[in-house]
Structures are given as structure tokens and as C-alpha cells.
Amino acid sequence: MTMLSRFVVEEIEGLFKKHEALNKTKDAIAFLDAPLIYEYGFDKNLDEVFYINRNLKDRIAGATSRDESTPRDVKKRVNEQISLEGARKKGATIINNDGSVEELIDKVDNILSSILEKGETCTVKER
């Protein structure tokens, strides 16, 4: 585990603890945007996992325009993450990010609205 990964893991674990305390006092929903949810076992603490699927070419273009990543860096990170098929086998909800940002937001909004309409609860699971 790299130093950055260790920092991120510690931050996420701290957020789980804060959310757990908040859940004891009122209904709360928390979102975790992290690419290594399965790889670090965070899925065991989550009610739902959403896998945002995007083709490699667009992933590379997005990452290289967002930060100083090279295409090689992006490919390496992608290879460290669970595959689409792996996420599907683990029961993740797959969201295809094959359009505009607005289209992705609409897809996510529709899924979240559906969850909230069903009255499903979202709580942090005990480790």
C-alpha cells in the first residue's frame, strides 16, 4: 500500500466512524467516491456499490486533462481496479458513463430517487 493509499484508507475509515455515529441520531445517507472500494474491502461497510463504467479511451482523456497523469499512469491505475465484470459479479449497480456529464448526473439522480422512493435505508454496516 502506498503512502497516499494508506492516507486515503485512514480518511475513509474515519468517515465510516463519523457516519455510524450520525446514523444513531437520525437518518443519514453517505456517499463514498473511491476507485478501490472492493480492493480495500470497503464494500463490506456499504449497502450499495455503484460502478461507473467508462471506456478506457475516455478514462485516459479525462484523467490526463484533469491532472498531470500520463496515459501510462491511467492504464496502471485502471489495471489495479476491479473490472466491470468483477464488479458485476459482486452485485454492484452498473452505471454507464458513455455520454455527457449531464446525462451521467441524470442517471445517478434516477437511481437515487428510486432508492429513496422505495424507502430503503442506507446505514454503515458493522465491521
Side-chain angles (χ1 to χ4, degrees):
M1 181 182 304
T2 66
M3 195 165 165
L4 178 61
S5 296
R6 190 171 301 114
F7 171 77
V8 171
V9 168
E10 289 171 3
E11 286 293 309
I12 290 170
E13 287 174 344
L15 290 173
F16 281 147
K17 289 177 185 167
K18 286 179 187 175
H19 182 69
E20 187 175 352
L22 180 62
N23 243 3
K24 291 178 182 177
T25 60
K26 57 183 159 184
D27 291 334
I29 296 175
F31 296 91
L32 172 63
D33 178 10
L36 299 172
I37 287 173
Y38 289 111
E39 292 77 2
Y40 288 115
F42 295 131
D43 58 304
K44 294 169 182 62
N45 296 70
L46 304 171
D47 293 320
E48 295 280 338
V49 174
F50 301 96
Y51 181 96
I52 309 296
N53 183 45
R54 192 172 188 197
N55 70 55
L56 183 59
K57 182 179 131 221
D58 289 341
R59 282 183 179 189
I60 291 170
T64 55
S65 67
R66 182 179 59 241
D67 56 42
E68 295 181 13
S69 296
T70 66
R72 185 176 181 195
D73 295 336
V74 177
K75 287 178 187 176
K76 182 177 183 230
R77 286 195 309 252
V78 167
N79 287 333
E80 292 171 353
Q81 298 171 8
I82 193 168
S83 67
L84 170 63
E85 196 53 42
R88 187 175 279 130
K89 285 179 183 175
K90 289 190 173 274
T93 298
I94 308 300
I95 302 172
N96 288 310
N97 182 8
D98 51 7
S100 68
V101 172
E102 292 78 16
E103 289 170 322
L104 178 62
I105 290 169
D106 285 344
K107 288 177 183 180
V108 172
D109 279 348
N110 289 334
I111 291 169
L112 294 177
S113 293
S114 174
I115 290 170
L116 294 173
E117 285 172 10
K118 292 178 189 173
E120 295 178 16
T121 58
C122 298
T123 58
V124 175
K125 297 176 184 176
E126 296 291 327
R127 274 191 183 230

